[in-house]
Each structure stands twice: as structure tokens, then as C-alpha cells.
Amino acid sequence: MNILLVIGIAMAAGLLVSRGVRLLKLPNVTAFLVAGLLIGPCISGIITKEQVGSMHLITEVALGFIAYAIGGEFKLTYLKKIGKTPIVITMFQGLATAFCVDVGLILCGFDVPLSLLLGAIALATAPAATLMVVRQYKARGNVTSMLLPVVAMDDALGLMVFSISASVAEAMMGGEMTVASMVLAPLYEICVSLLVGSVLGLILGVCSRFFASRGNKLALSIALVLAGVGLCDMWGLSSLLVCMMIGAVMVNISQQHETLMEQCDRFTPPLFLLFFVLSGAELDLSVLPQVGLIGVLYLLLRCMGKWGGTMLGAAAVKADSNVKKYLGLTLLPQAGVAIGMSQMVSIRFPELAGTVTTVVLACVLVFELLGPVITKIALTKAGEIPALKKA
């Protein structure tokens, strides 16, 4: 089937299912994932596995724009206002999640290296689903304000924890554990990613002054985000961190930042729709019966770590009561970063690849379908979603 026809079918399916699930008052992101599942190789096979795989470039670009949009929320005036709170909460919930999964699986008799790897992967949160829910319902309030910076910083923390856990697991399985592999390599990736993103954000902020039309400003934004994604692919950097910094630097140095972000917001909805439909098409229901006890434990322990760790972190910094009660529930979606980590496990630990991949894929299926719904419920309970309007 022609690739353009595949894209058209995917977008049409997402739109049709999103209209259908309005009766159930589900978030659009859930509808797009379900649409992908329905037309994907797992159910109808309208779109084959090979066709989904051939469109990985769309996924990379969409994630870049998602990170760029999150970075656009990082105004210095806002960051000064909230202070250290998101940093503390990120550290508490991230480390608590890894700790819960590690200890829980080890106490239940599973191998320590396997438990360490799954604990590190459990830390990752999907920013895409979270951002989509926030935007769809125009959520505003203390929980929403804390959510975006926590989700953004979560991936940086996850990268560090995964690198350390993988090095420890490798040493326990007969390999060599070094400071370079545990700390220096991930720290280098994070620092260089932030530096590259800052430079591109500076270029975007400065160059935007020389273009008057909105169309040209949009073209400039697209060019810099695509450049960021391309450089990450060439240099092995984190596209989430690079593109997040592009948005963060631009929004703080450019007087045109409102126009730039508004134009980008008008451009990206079809891209995000396609991204989630393709993500849904990659989901595989056949892995669910294979997860067994370790999969159920991973799912439950991750939820406990995210919710409990967030409550502890919020209590430590005396955050708003709604942040304590509801923020942890909005951090459950999990997708691309977790799958990427499981692929890294397949390369470094082929003997553990089967178990790790099966558990992660099965739980991503659950968290991606239910996570956005739980996020919507949490934000509604917190009183941060206004009266629903026709979308």
C-alpha cells in the first residue's frame, strides 16, 4: 500500500474513533491509540507491521515537537515562582519507583539484574500522552503547573538511573562496572543534549526577529526542531532534552515567543494525531497472556512508586494538597522511552531480552490506554479541567 494512503487511513481512523469515544468522555489520545490498535497488524491488519515500522521518522519528529512544546512552558519567571518543588518531587517519585520495583521483584524471588533493569525502565514517563490531555482539556492549576516540569525532568533522571542500573546488572553478570559507564556516559549525553538544544533555541530566538510573517516564523521553528532531531540521530543524543531546551531558551529570550508557540500549536495537532495512531498500531495484544506474575508485579509496583513517591516529595516541600493527592496519578503513561530502554537491554543483555521486552510491551499497552484516562480523572478531581466543550 502507498505510504501516503497509509497516512491518510491512519488519520481518518483517528478522527472517526475520536468522535465515537466522545460518548464515553475519554481523552482523544486514548481514541487515537485505540484507532491504531484497530487498524494495525494486531487486529485488522489494514496497516502492516512493516508499514508502521517504515514511518518511524514521523514518530521521531512528533516527539521532537512534543518536547519543544513542553520546553515552551519553562519561563524563568514561572520557574522562579515554583522554585525547587518540581526538582524535589521528580527525584522522590523517580527514585521511589525504581526502588519499589527493584525491591518488590527481588523479594518475590526474581533475579537481581533483571529486577534492577525493570526498576530503571519503570521510572520513565511518556510526556506525549500527558501533554495531549492537558491541551485537549485546557487544564490549568497547581497540579498542571507542576506536571509538565516533572515529566520533562523525569526522562533526564531516568537516563541516569538506567545507566547506573545497567552497569550494576552487567557487573553482577560477570562484566565490568566502571565510573565511566555508570556516571560519565549518561552525564555527557545529558549535558551535550542541553547544550545543543540551548544553541538551537538561541538561534531560533534571535532569527525570529528578522521574519515578520507568521508563516515564516512557523517555518523557522519547524527547521530548528527538525535540525535538533536530526543532530540527535547523528550524535546519539536525547531528542527529548534537545527539543525541550530549544523551546525553553526561545521562550525566555524572544519577544516573539507567543506567536512562535501559537503557530506551532496550530501546526502540530495532525502530527500528534498520526503519532498516537501509529503508536497504537505498534501495540500487541498477544503479549498480555505471556507476562505472568512478573508483569503484574511490575505494573502494580510502578503505580505504587509513582503515586507514593510523589506524595512524599510533595509533602517534603509542603506543596499544595491537590499536588500531593493527584500529581502521582498523572505520571502513569509510559511509551517510547521505556521501549527504547528495553531495546537497549536486548543489545546489552540478550539473555534477559525476552522477559524484559515482554513485560515492558505488555505494561506499555496498559499504561498507554489507561494512563490518559487516569490523568484526565485526576485533573478533573483537582478542579483543573473547565467545563468540557465540543472539540
Side-chain angles (χ1 to χ4, degrees), residues 39-352:
I39 66 173
C42 182
I43 295 184
S44 68
I46 295 175
I47 295 179
T48 66
K49 186 175 182 179
E50 291 72 23
Q51 288 167 339
V52 174
S54 68
M55 291 189 282
H56 67 278
L57 182 62
I58 294 174
T59 299
E60 292 181 11
V61 172
L63 284 173
F65 279 100
I66 287 164
Y68 173 72
I70 291 175
E73 301 288 335
F74 285 7
K75 296 180 182 177
L76 285 178
T77 52
Y78 164 67
L79 294 178
K80 290 178 181 177
K81 180 180 177 182
I82 61 177
K84 64 181 180 181
T85 300
I87 298 175
V88 174
I89 291 177
T90 300
M91 294 297 293
F92 268 84
Q93 63 84 21
L95 297 178
T97 301
F99 179 80
C100 280
V101 176
D102 288 347
V103 174
L105 293 180
I106 291 170
L107 290 178
C108 289
F110 293 100
D111 291 339
V112 175
L114 175 63
S115 301
L116 291 175
L117 292 170
L118 287 174
I121 294 173
L123 197 157
T125 302
T130 302
L131 180 66
M132 283 287 288
V133 173
V134 169
R135 285 192 167 184
Q136 179 186 348
Y137 296 108
K138 298 179 173 61
R140 290 290 182 272
N142 292 328
V143 178
T144 305
S145 298
M146 204 59 59
L147 173 58
L148 294 179
V150 169
V151 167
M153 289 184 287
D154 199 43
D155 284 323
L157 178 63
L159 179 62
M160 289 292 294
V161 172
F162 179 80
S163 296
I164 294 171
S165 297
S167 295
V168 173
E170 195 168 42
M172 296 181 68
M173 297 176 68
E176 183 180 357
M177 182 168 57
T178 65
V179 174
S181 63
M182 288 178 59
V183 179
L184 296 183
L187 192 61
Y188 171 82
E189 180 177 341
I190 291 171
C191 291
V192 175
S193 296
L194 295 178
L195 177 61
V196 171
S198 298
V199 172
L200 293 176
L202 181 63
I203 294 172
L204 175 57
V206 172
C207 291
S208 63
R209 303 173 186 174
F210 303 105
F211 296 95
S213 75
R214 290 174 176 263
N216 285 337
K217 292 181 188 296
L218 174 60
L220 182 63
S221 297
I222 294 173
L224 269 297
V225 173
L226 292 180
V229 174
L231 289 174
C232 290
D233 189 51
M234 286 175 56
W235 296 341
L237 303 177
S238 168
S239 62
L240 290 176
L241 292 179
V242 168
C243 294
M244 182 186 71
M245 282 304 296
I246 295 175
V249 171
M250 181 279 296
V251 82
N252 283 291
I253 68 169
S254 175
Q255 296 180 345
Q256 311 290 324
H257 68 269
E258 291 185 358
T259 301
L260 288 167
M261 295 308 299
E262 179 188 356
Q263 287 298 102
C264 207
D265 289 346
R266 294 175 182 273
F267 160 77
T268 52
L271 179 63
F272 292 168
L273 183 159
L274 185 58
F275 166 72
F276 282 108
V277 172
L278 293 176
S279 297
E282 291 181 324
L283 299 177
D284 187 0
L285 295 176
S286 65
V287 301
L288 288 178
Q290 304 172 32
V291 295
L293 176 61
I294 190 171
V296 174
L297 286 173
Y298 173 89
L299 193 150
L300 295 177
L301 291 168
R302 181 176 184 268
C303 292
M304 289 172 55
K306 288 288 182 184
W307 183 69
T310 301
M311 286 195 67
L312 289 174
V317 293
K318 298 180 173 58
D320 181 80
S321 60
N322 277 345
V323 173
K324 294 179 187 177
K325 289 189 288 186
Y326 301 118
L327 180 61
L329 298 175
T330 66
L331 300 174
L332 296 182
Q334 188 175 45
V337 177
I339 294 173
M341 289 180 178
S342 70
Q343 291 172 344
M344 292 171 66
V345 169
S346 299
I347 297 172
R348 292 181 63 177
F349 306 91
E351 61 271 46
L352 301 177

